[in-house]
Amino acid sequence: NTAPTNKTTIQAPSSPSNTSNSSRDTEPVQNEEPLLLDANNLPTRGEYYTARVTKPLLGAIFSSGQELRNTLYSSASDRIVDAIGDRPVVSFTIDGSAADTAGIQLGHVLIKVNGEEVMSTDDAVKMVGKSPRPLKMEMYIPPDVKVVKTEGQYMVKYDSNSTEAPSTCTEWKPKYVVAGDMLGKPHMLYMYRSKAEYDIAVKEAQIPGKVLSVKVKQFDIRGARILNETGQVRYPGKGTWYYFTVVRSFGLPIKISATRPEDLTPVYDGIMAFLERESKRRMDAAAERRERYTASYSAETYY
């Protein structure tokens, strides 16, 4: 990777010479090679760089690596996400902000601020806000991670009982759709009038007690299922539209469409990642209940 002119690439730190495990290993999974970690306990082969910020407002939001497992980091292996853990990861940047200008991008991990180590999102907020400028931010780019944004501009329909596409294109509404956004509710599907209004909502959500000045529709997708995964509809003069339907456990179904099937991938993947994680939690909970019941049953004494 070529570093932007306003950030300096630095060497990944090596472990101190008096440390025997200079590259620490995590438990291998089946036939996978052990994940080697550097002196920061982060995967080797990642890139480190230092960004310089002079403006008071950074224009970025941090979330823990664990919180981004099924959104921005959905392409990353569990081992890499576990290694990043609760460290602060850039989960949102404002276009044209100081962070954007400094080359700080989504998915990058904050390691140090003015030479002081940062281990959590709370630390990141406090230190970035209070530290004197110019601000030197040491960042880390994880290896083998393709950052996935589970959002995009779509045409939607959510006000009818039908799971099929409407008969006319005028029945669709344009919305900026976000699956599990920075407002902290992964089970919600958010719809804004535009990307600009989504940016405003995220910024305002960081201000305690601030009431959002933009309109947003929220749909709970817990217990939902997906229909029409390869749905298509053709409108005169508009060509073919592609869509899928989110059938919720309560409320009307939601149809989401685009003029190219690949454009649906980000939000579709975001929704499916949550539903799969929710299904796994339910199965794990059921298995735990069965184990407790079996243990209790076997412990009984009969006369």
Side-chain angles (χ1 to χ4, degrees), residues 48-282:
Y48 286 84
Y49 69 90
T50 297
R52 186 173 183 270
V53 174
T54 59
K55 295 181 180 179
L57 180 64
L58 179 62
I61 291 175
F62 298 96
S63 302
S64 74
Q66 299 286 6
E67 291 173 326
L68 301 176
R69 185 184 297 272
N70 292 290
T71 52
L72 291 183
Y73 278 174
S74 62
S75 72
S77 69
D78 286 341
R79 298 191 302 166
I80 287 180
V81 177
D82 289 341
I84 294 171
D86 292 327
R87 288 180 181 268
V89 179
V90 178
S91 55
F92 178 85
T93 59
I94 301 171
D95 293 341
S97 65
D100 189 26
T101 303
I104 298 172
Q105 299 178 21
L106 297 180
H108 292 188
V109 185
L110 177 60
I111 304 300
K112 294 180 181 179
V113 172
N114 287 347
E116 188 174 349
E117 193 170 17
V118 184
M119 295 302 296
S120 69
T121 55
D122 287 343
D123 288 346
V125 172
K126 293 174 184 176
M127 295 169 68
V128 169
K130 295 180 179 179
S131 297
R133 269 55 175 171
L135 199 66
K136 290 179 64 177
M137 302 176 63
E138 186 174 329
M139 309 294 298
Y140 169 81
I141 306 174
D144 306 321
V145 176
K146 180 182 177 182
V147 172
V148 179
K149 295 180 68 175
T150 56
E151 59 189 67
Q153 187 71 44
Y154 301 102
M155 301 297 287
V156 303
K157 187 166 179 60
Y158 46 76
D159 56 1
S160 75
N161 282 312
S162 175
T163 59
E164 303 298 319
S167 57
T168 63
C169 64
T170 56
E171 295 181 61
W172 295 95
K173 296 180 180 179
K175 294 288 183 183
Y176 194 79
V177 181
V178 184
D181 72 358
M182 295 304 104
L183 300 183
K185 297 179 180 178
H187 60 278
M188 300 299 291
L189 192 64
Y190 298 86
M191 295 187 186
Y192 301 84
R193 289 186 293 192
S194 66
K195 171 65 164 62
E197 292 202 355
Y198 170 52
D199 291 350
I200 292 172
V202 174
K203 287 186 286 185
E204 292 181 344
Q206 308 310 304
I207 304 173
K210 176 70 174 179
V211 178
L212 296 186
S213 63
V214 298
K215 293 183 177 180
V216 55
K217 289 190 174 294
Q218 303 181 41
F219 302 91
D220 192 329
I221 59 171
R222 284 175 291 191
R225 55 193 176 93
I226 303 294
L227 291 183
N228 304 318
E229 295 188 34
T230 57
Q232 298 183 30
V233 59
R234 189 171 184 85
Y235 296 114
K238 297 292 184 179
T240 301
W241 288 20
Y242 302 85
Y243 74 98
F244 66 91
T245 305
V246 182
V247 180
R248 299 185 295 148
S249 56
F250 55 89
L252 298 174
I254 302 168
K255 279 82 69 180
I256 303 175
S257 70
T259 55
R260 300 188 307 170
E262 58 268 28
D263 291 342
L264 289 172
T265 300
V267 72
Y268 174 85
D269 285 351
I271 293 171
M272 286 301 300
F274 168 76
L275 295 179
E276 288 170 358
R277 187 171 75 253
E278 182 191 38
S279 176
K280 183 179 184 302
R281 279 201 303 265
R282 288 200 302 266

